[in-house]
Structure formats: C-alpha cells, structure tokens
Amino acid sequence: MTDIDIRTLGTPGLGDRSYLATDGTTALVVDPQRDIDRVLDLAAELGVTIACVAETHIHNDYVSGGLELARRTGAVYLVDARDRVAFDRTPASEGDEFAVGAMLLRPIATPGHTHHHLSYALADSTGATVAVFTGGSMLHGSTGRTDLISAEDTVELTHAQYHSVRRLVAELPADAAVLPTHGFGSFCSATPTSGDASTVAEQARVNPAMTQDEQDFVDTLIAGLGAYPAYYVHMGPANAAGPAPVDLSAPEPVDPAELRRRIAAGQWVVDLRSRTAFAAGHLPRSLSFELARPFATYLGWLFPYGAALTLVGDDPEQVARAQRELVRIGIDRPSGAGTGEITELAGDGGLASYPVSDFAGLAARGQDEVFVLDTRTEAERRAGHLAGSAHVPLHQLPARRHEVPTDRQVWVHCGSGYRASVAVSLLAADPTRPGRDLVLVDDDWTRAAGAGLRLADTVRATAAH
C-alpha cells in the first residue's frame, strides 16, 4: 500500500487540475494555478511543507502560480531544462531523479502538447511508481492538443504525442494512476475526455494513441482540432517571463456617473449577474458575462488584452470571485467595480432590456419568420443545426456583427444560453448598428428538436450565412 496522499485542486472554469502529493510531512505540487492561496491553505490543512513545485510544461491556457509558490515556500522549482525562461529554476531533464521527502519524482520526456513537455512518474518509499503526472500528454481517453505552438509544428508534434503516450504505457506500471492537468473541459484537450480518474492499464485500452495506428491517430487528431481561446497567445510568454505575484485586493468602487462615462468612452463594463437578470435590466451597452463555469474562457477569448475592464456585480463577493477567475488568465487588475442593485447603479441613466425565450418559444414565433443566429462552434454546428439559421461562432462575432441584420427580429442561441447571452449583449452594445430587435434563447440545444423546430441536413452544416 502506498504511503502517498495525492490531493486534486480542480479549476473547473478552465477545465484544469493541479495536484498536491505528500508523504505525510513533505509535499510536492504539480502545475499550480495562479491563485496559490488554495494550495497554501491545503498544505496548512494537511500540516505539510511544500518542498517541490513541478511544471509539466510552459502552459498555454493559464498563468502559472508555480514561480510565486516556490518563492513563497522556498521550494525547489522544476521546469524543463530546455525551456528558455527569465527566472531561476531547477532545470529538470529525463534521467534526473528528485527526492521529495520519502517520495521520488522522475521526469519523462513526453513531447507533443509542446516540444519541451515532461511527465513525472511518482514513486513511494518502496520504490513503486504509484502515479504519473501527465500534464498535456496522456489525458483520460484523449491527448493534449498539438497545434498551440504553431501550425508548422502541428504534424511533428502530433506524431510525437502518439509516441509519448505509447511510451508511458510501455514503461509505467499498469496500476499507476494517470493524473493529467488538462482534459476536464480545457480547450487544451484535442478531443473530449472521459471519466474522473484513470490508470495506465485503462489508457492502454481506450486512449486513441493506443487504439489507432500512427497515421490514423495523426489524421484524426488534426482533423478534429477546432478554435481555441484568443488569450492563449498571451499565456506562454507570461509564463516564460515569470508571472508577477497575484493581487486579489478589491478594485476601486465606481459610481453610476462614472459607469456611464466609461461605457460612453467604449470601455468594457462587464456585468457578472445571471444572464436572465441582465436581460431583464442592465446598463445600456454593458456586456453580459455571467459568473458561471465558462466565464473566464469566453471573457478572455473576446476581451482586448490591456484594455480597461470594469466589473458590475450583485455584491463585492461576486466581484472577488470574478477577479480570482481572471487572474488565472492574466487579467490582473480591474479598473473598478460597481456593486448593488442595478437600478441604483444606473442612477439617472435608466436601464436597457431584451426578452428571453426558449426553443419552444422560437417554434411558436416561427423559425422562418425571424433571423436565427447560432453562436456555437463549428463542430457543434456540424453535428446538427436549425434549418435556415445563420452561423457565427461567438469568438467571431465582434468581427462579423455586420452580418446580423437590423430589419428583422434576431433570435440568438447556443448550446445552453451562456454564449448566446454574451452574443446578444455584444450586438445590443454595437455602436455601428443600434436598435436591433434581439431575443435571447436561454435553452439547452438538446431540446430544439423536441420543440418542433426543423433541423437541417448535417451534411450541409457548413452553410452558414
């Protein structure tokens, strides 16, 4: 029986996991998120000392907390020796072994997600390998995507990913736990993952890199790669430069007059309240990004990095939760926040609103009588869509909003209502074409067919406009 306790720190908003492993006294942390207070609190709860922090790779989907955690605790900070970084770290290479209390950590070169990617095999005091931290290499029923470095490197990295997974399966014990960083909703996963836990033996049976031959794996993975959030371009450089410590102190309060001034100046004023509350009444030309699971992903995808950002929320606690989500993707300091009743935040300016319906409401209205806008991804669209609908994925809408008419009522849907709410708020705030008649479809896509709406032939799913 192993003497190692491994705890998971999930970050559902980004679809990632960090890990703390301890022998009861000394701890190892793998791929920590930016808000390291969670890790420090867990270590304090367990009564252990963090002696080692390890990065599987230079992350592309979040800003790492590894450097700050190592500095705060005095821990050894392991980063691949081949990575060029602007800070001091302990270079890690295949063939090294790092003792962490009674535990032994062994780096394994597993290129694919990035060129310089390490998995870490973890052995207990008996020398038995009990787990492997796989980062963006072998995921649960999938692998990390291979196109984040460059389009020119994608084929090479996909072949490398195939061999990395096979190597892990060949060299590690069948009962070793597979502990990936990505794959729990992260866009860093090449394809959807399955299950909450796994072993090397299970991956040997189900992972595409094990069940397909090499060329089929490469062709299938590359063909399935869709768009990924625009903020990813900022993450790698930030992590290589060395992220600054987090500041989660409350932003400056903003009064109603200043909120109106910022909106009039074209600044981003983001409303964190529920999408139905936003629809019922909001500051004109503010934007709806409900503080729910996909919040950071979609705000980061659309937000112009470096611009001023003001948050509007029900209370300071809601703003604080949003700040925590945002620092993970490098949006560090809101320029202010307004909290409280939306009628009070509006001051003398009044509120805007738009109706909310569902797919049954669209069927009753008549799908051919209105302009239906589908804001889902290309893959979702190919799997099925409403006949006659237009398709503009949410991340493309700012550049393509001119395609949405002003002379017809516009019903906007996605897969759940979240992205559609963002899209409706973007269209309502569009200064180039004010006055659109907008309706939010706040409904799950699986109910569309049952509502009596006509679906298009999926073979013709690429017809978008």
Side-chain angles (χ1 to χ4, degrees), residues 240-461:
V246 166
D247 179 3
L248 289 175
S249 61
E252 291 294 319
V254 180
D255 63 26
E258 178 61 14
L259 284 171
R260 290 196 301 273
R261 188 199 70 76
R262 293 182 182 191
I263 292 172
Q267 295 184 21
W268 271 52
V269 174
V270 167
D271 194 320
L272 306 171
R273 298 174 304 136
S274 74
R275 53 186 178 263
T276 52
F278 182 91
H282 57 271
L283 305 179
R285 292 176 58 194
S286 62
L287 302 175
S288 175
F289 284 85
E290 180 180 352
L291 186 57
R293 183 165 180 164
F295 165 73
T297 294
Y298 289 108
L299 191 148
W301 205 328
L302 296 167
F303 179 68
Y305 262 66
L309 173 65
T310 302
L311 302 177
V312 170
D314 290 319
D315 50 48
E317 290 74 23
Q318 189 176 51
V319 170
R321 293 197 304 274
Q323 282 184 263
R324 183 175 292 273
E325 296 252 8
L326 292 174
V327 297
R328 294 170 181 160
I329 59 169
I331 301 175
D332 281 8
R333 290 298 300 163
S335 59
T339 59
E341 293 293 331
I342 195 65
T343 52
E344 296 179 3
L345 292 176
D348 299 329
L351 298 174
S353 65
Y354 48 77
V356 177
S357 190
D358 54 17
F359 285 115
L362 176 57
R365 177 68 173 82
Q367 71 188 92
D368 296 327
E369 303 302 314
V370 299
F371 185 90
V372 179
L373 178 63
D374 179 353
T375 61
R376 298 173 302 152
T377 65
E378 295 284 357
E380 290 172 293
R381 176 86 174 173
R382 286 193 297 268
H385 63 275
L386 297 179
S389 62
H391 181 221
V392 181
L394 176 60
H395 65 277
Q396 297 180 10
L397 186 60
R400 295 176 56 187
R401 60 191 180 185
H402 61 278
E403 298 176 23
V404 181
T406 56
D407 59 350
R408 298 173 63 190
Q409 190 174 62
V410 179
W411 287 58
V412 186
H413 83 86
C414 61
S416 67
Y418 189 95
R419 288 170 289 177
S421 175
V422 176
V424 171
S425 72
L426 287 168
L427 292 170
D430 180 5
T432 66
R433 295 194 175 188
R436 288 188 179 95
D437 183 5
L438 300 161
V439 179
L440 167 62
V441 179
D442 186 28
D443 203 355
D444 193 283
W445 167 250
T446 58
R447 295 206 253 304
L453 294 166
R454 290 181 295 105
L455 301 186
D457 183 349
T458 56
V459 173
R460 297 167 50 230

Side-chain angles (χ1 to χ4, degrees), residues 42-409:
L42 177 58
E45 176 188 334
L46 298 174
V48 299
T49 299
I50 297 172
C52 181
V53 179
E55 302 281 10
T56 57
H57 59 293
I58 300 296
H59 300 285
N60 288 294
D61 69 326
Y62 67 86
V63 179
S64 173
L67 179 61
E68 184 183 358
L69 182 61
R71 286 175 173 171
R72 289 272 296 273
T73 62
V76 169
Y77 188 32
L78 303 182
V79 177
D80 194 306
R82 299 165 295 178
D83 284 318
R84 300 179 63 181
V85 295
F87 50 85
D88 292 332
R89 71 3 178 138
T90 298
S93 302
E94 180 165 335
D96 293 337
E97 290 185 343
F98 298 95
V100 186
M103 303 176 290
L104 189 67
L105 197 64
R106 179 168 59 90
I108 304 170
T110 47
H113 187 50
T114 62
H115 288 290
H116 304 157
H117 187 286
L118 296 174
S119 296
Y120 291 94
L122 182 67
D124 63 15
S125 59
T126 70
T129 298
V130 298
V132 57
F133 302 102
T134 57
S137 181
M138 178 167 63
L139 312 184
H140 293 168
S142 183
T143 63
R145 66 188 302 153
T146 55
D147 60 336
L148 299 181
I149 303 302
S150 73
E152 293 74 22
D153 292 343
T154 298
V155 172
E156 174 193 342
L157 286 172
T158 309
H159 282 281
Q161 190 76 294
Y162 177 85
H163 290 286
S164 290
V165 171
R166 291 194 158 231
R167 182 186 178 196
L168 290 174
V169 168
E171 295 184 4
L172 297 174
D175 61 351
V178 175
L179 304 174
T181 301
H182 306 313
F184 307 96
S186 169
F187 278 86
C188 277
S189 176
T191 55
T193 57
S194 59
D196 193 54
S198 189
T199 63
V200 170
E202 181 179 24
Q203 291 311 303
R205 295 191 304 270
V206 305
N207 198 283
M210 300 302 299
T211 61
Q212 299 174 337
D213 66 37
E214 184 170 353
Q215 196 57 50
D216 284 344
F217 171 83
V218 171
D219 293 343
T220 302
L221 186 151
I222 292 175
L225 292 172
Y228 55 84
Y231 70 83
Y232 276 28
V233 70
H234 302 284
M235 301 297 95
N239 287 322
V246 166
D247 179 3
L248 289 175
S249 61
E252 291 294 319
V254 180
D255 63 26
E258 178 61 14
L259 284 171
R260 290 196 301 273
R261 188 199 70 76
R262 293 182 182 191
I263 292 172
Q267 295 184 21
W268 271 52
V269 174
V270 167
D271 194 320
L272 306 171
R273 298 174 304 136
S274 74
R275 53 186 178 263
T276 52
F278 182 91
H282 57 271
L283 305 179
R285 292 176 58 194
S286 62
L287 302 175
S288 175
F289 284 85
E290 180 180 352
L291 186 57
R293 183 165 180 164
F295 165 73
T297 294
Y298 289 108
L299 191 148
W301 205 328
L302 296 167
F303 179 68
Y305 262 66
L309 173 65
T310 302
L311 302 177
V312 170
D314 290 319
D315 50 48
E317 290 74 23
Q318 189 176 51
V319 170
R321 293 197 304 274
Q323 282 184 263
R324 183 175 292 273
E325 296 252 8
L326 292 174
V327 297
R328 294 170 181 160
I329 59 169
I331 301 175
D332 281 8
R333 290 298 300 163
S335 59
T339 59
E341 293 293 331
I342 195 65
T343 52
E344 296 179 3
L345 292 176
D348 299 329
L351 298 174
S353 65
Y354 48 77
V356 177
S357 190
D358 54 17
F359 285 115
L362 176 57
R365 177 68 173 82
Q367 71 188 92
D368 296 327
E369 303 302 314
V370 299
F371 185 90
V372 179
L373 178 63
D374 179 353
T375 61
R376 298 173 302 152
T377 65
E378 295 284 357
E380 290 172 293
R381 176 86 174 173
R382 286 193 297 268
H385 63 275
L386 297 179
S389 62
H391 181 221
V392 181
L394 176 60
H395 65 277
Q396 297 180 10
L397 186 60
R400 295 176 56 187
R401 60 191 180 185
H402 61 278
E403 298 176 23
V404 181
T406 56
D407 59 350
R408 298 173 63 190
Q409 190 174 62

